[in-house]
Amino acid sequence: MSSHSFGVERVRADFPILSRALQGNKPLVYLDSTATAQKPLSVIRAMDDYYRNTNANIHRGVHTLAEEATADYERARERIAAFIGARSTSEVIFTRNTTESINLVAYSWARKNLSSGDVIILTEMEHHSNLVPWQILAEEKNIRLEFTPVTDEGELNLQAYQNLLELRPKLVAFTQMSNVLGTINPAEEMIRMAHEVGAVVLIDAAQSAPHFKVDVQKLKADFLAFSAHKMCGPTGIGVLYGRRDLLEAMPPFLGGGDMIKKVTLRGFTPNELPHKFEAGTPAIAEVIGFGAAVEYLEQIGMDQIAAYEHTLTRYALDRLSEISGLKVIGPPAEKKGGVCSFTLEGIHPHDIAQLLDREGIAVRAGHHCAMPLHQRYGLPATTRASFYLYNTLEEIDFLAEALEKTKALFG
Ligand SMILES: Cc1ncc(COP(=O)(O)O)c(C=O)c1O
């Protein structure tokens, strides 16, 4: 899809921050959306409007503001449930982020259902969020963790995955799209394979839900986690989707107000779903902002966004391949989303990111919360440029030119 048919200039006009200049008069070139995305005016306005006009605590009040705030909050849940194809709003639990969603499953579902000697299968390309909660659990309950290996090309080795499934894991958890390699994993097929051996499957959708259509019923995902801030929404709010029967059978994660139906001095009865897992006053403005973000993405169309990002990625890989000494890790454009992590011979990724910053270009350098994956490739760090619906081909040209300049500076 060309930038003209996608209408990127119209999209850019929705994001106030993109008109900023940095370092004097250099236009901001924001290539760090994998870390967090920029926010359109409609999201900023939705949150501003809540604080100006309807601010009240939800679910408990009988006054007009409380009723309006509750309606707005629950309307956002409905929109997000429809966005991911959930059967019902009771399957959509608000958390702080992907990390908390995964921890919720580890603390509530896994502690109840897993015991000593049970197996969990993860992959070598996981973000620390989908590693450390399982490592904590493994240590506590003597659980065995196994890892589907990544090939030199940056894809999961599916034959090795098939072999690991013979261990009859209780849980399989993997990312739908790598935040370093950009690899889009064949989630539907991997879930089907895991279900054949009776495993429950958790999908880390932190990088997929923002960039292409994710449908939990089509995937047949049991759990699926994602964060608003990576999809044009605010920070501090995320979702855990869970299959209703699994959520019903799980004990509460956090205890407190709102998650109960009845309390005595000696005990409590948990509330209905989804409230059973939402203890305390939630991030009300953020949920409303998240609803506005999903509305924004839907108005543009997830298929249009995915197609446009594919154009950007293909162009970026072409431009970067022209730079001698530069190596991108991960598969070719057909198999990945808009993430290019690379090394440039003889120059440390942090130096690259700093020099790009002087040109107004925001990229990330480091291990991107995936240290084991970097170890797999024998790299301490990479520089990562990532793209979203507001980036342009021209910005990729700026990046390529600035990298050539960086190389010249280092001789
Ligand atoms: C693949 C993946 N999983 C999980 C996370 C964690 O997301 P959050 O920090 O919003 O919890 C990220 C964030 O970069 C990610 O890229």
Side-chain angles (χ1 to χ4, degrees):
M1 177 180 278
S2 72
S3 51
H4 182 68
S5 59
F6 180 68
V8 69
E9 287 312 324
R10 186 174 38 82
V11 169
R12 288 178 67 81
D14 295 330
F15 291 80
I17 206 169
L18 296 181
S19 52
R20 256 198 83 173
L22 300 175
Q23 319 290 3
N25 59 353
K26 306 226 162 84
L28 166 66
V29 175
Y30 187 75
L31 302 180
D32 196 19
S33 296
T34 291
T36 200
Q38 296 302 347
K39 323 302 174 198
L41 256 180
S42 61
V43 169
I44 299 166
R45 282 195 182 126
M47 295 174 73
D48 183 76
D49 180 62
Y50 162 73
Y51 281 125
R52 282 176 194 273
N53 297 308
T54 43
N55 177 52
N57 210 334
I58 56 167
H59 293 147
R60 290 175 274 249
V62 286
H63 60 78
T64 303
L65 289 189
E67 280 176 1
E68 286 177 2
T70 303
D72 289 348
Y73 181 89
E74 292 302 335
R75 206 172 303 119
R77 195 194 309 269
E78 281 164 27
R79 191 175 279 284
I80 294 160
F83 183 72
I84 58 164
R87 286 166 209 83
S88 131
T89 49
S90 10
E91 297 182 318
V92 173
I93 316 284
F94 286 122
T95 61
R96 279 187 305 148
N97 45 38
T98 306
T99 304
E100 188 174 290
S101 298
I102 297 172
N103 276 275
L104 196 166
V105 177
Y107 278 87
S108 173
W109 179 84
R111 272 174 179 71
K112 180 166 181 212
N113 290 286
L114 268 58
S115 51
S116 179
D118 281 343
V119 176
I120 296 178
I121 296 180
L122 307 168
T123 83
E124 285 181 346
M125 65 166 75
E126 298 312 308
H127 187 281
H128 298 162
S129 293
N130 200 25
L131 282 176
V132 181
W134 309 117
Q135 291 169 348
I136 294 171
L137 180 82
E139 170 112 12
E140 187 185 308
K141 298 197 74 160
N142 189 32
I143 306 286
R144 177 172 163 195
L145 302 182
E146 292 293 338
F147 301 90
T148 302
V150 182
T151 65
D152 290 346
E153 292 73 37
E155 292 179 68
L156 290 178
N157 179 337
L158 290 185
Q159 183 55 55
Y161 175 62
Q162 176 79 69
N163 297 344
L164 284 173
L165 289 174
E166 285 171 20
L167 297 170
R168 303 234 148 223
K170 287 274 172 64
L171 177 74
V172 169
F174 64 90
T175 186
Q176 195 172 8
M177 176 172 140
S178 163
N179 65 314
V180 176
L181 304 164
T183 316
I184 298 172
N185 291 318
E188 207 173 323
E189 183 188 351
M190 289 175 70
I191 292 170
R192 184 185 49 72
M193 289 162 76
H195 282 166
E196 274 171 15
V197 299
V200 162
V201 186
L202 179 147
I203 301 295
D204 174 349
Q207 296 300 342
S208 51
H211 300 283
F212 52 89
K213 179 76 192 148
V214 170
D215 184 315
V216 291
Q217 289 194 64
K218 186 157 178 282
L219 283 171
K220 298 198 167 56
D222 299 306
F223 293 111
L224 185 128
F226 55 105
S227 300
H229 72 95
K230 294 185 195 289
M231 44 202 294
C232 298
T235 53
I237 191 71
V239 159
L240 173 69
Y241 159 81
R243 235 177 57 206
R244 191 187 184 122
D245 59 315
L246 291 172
L247 293 173
E248 293 278 15
M250 281 159 59
F253 172 39
L254 300 172
D258 234 29
M259 53 70 70
I260 48 83
K261 211 181 257 169
K262 187 178 167 205
V263 183
T264 66
L265 284 179
R266 303 270 171 210
F268 73 95
T269 316
N271 205 342
E272 305 292 336
L273 289 174
H275 312 294
K276 180 169 94 174
F277 292 106
E278 293 178 7
T281 300
I284 304 166
E286 285 75 8
V287 165
I288 291 167
F290 194 0
V294 162
E295 183 176 5
Y296 180 78
L297 294 175
E298 279 178 328
Q299 273 168 3
I300 294 171
M302 291 310 289
D303 290 346
Q304 276 72 13
I305 292 171
Y308 178 61
E309 283 180 30
H310 186 64
T311 306
L312 292 174
T313 309
R314 244 192 357 243
Y315 187 68
L317 288 178
D318 281 351
R319 288 302 318 261
L320 293 178
S321 72
E322 292 162 7
I323 301 172
S324 66
L326 189 147
K327 263 180 71 179
V328 178
I329 57 168
E334 310 81 75
K335 295 184 176 174
K336 71 189 237 158
V339 180
C340 294
S341 298
F342 59 89
T343 54
L344 192 48
E345 205 175 358
I347 315 177
H348 194 279
H350 282 114
D351 293 333
I352 298 172
Q354 252 168 22
L355 286 167
L356 292 179
D357 182 53
R358 284 195 209 161
E359 304 295 322
I361 302 173
V363 295
R364 190 150 288 244
H367 51 64
H368 319 303
C369 296
M371 283 172 106
L373 181 66
H374 280 77
Q375 283 154 14
R376 157 69 180 80
Y377 290 103
L379 299 168
T382 52
T383 309
R384 181 181 72 189
S386 55
F387 317 117
Y388 207 6
L389 70 167
Y390 38 67
N391 290 120
T392 65
L393 298 172
E394 194 187 21
E395 288 181 317
I396 292 167
D397 289 334
F398 281 147
L399 171 70
E401 284 155 23
L403 284 169
E404 290 287 11
K405 228 162 125 178
T406 303
K407 261 183 64 179
L409 207 74
F410 275 79

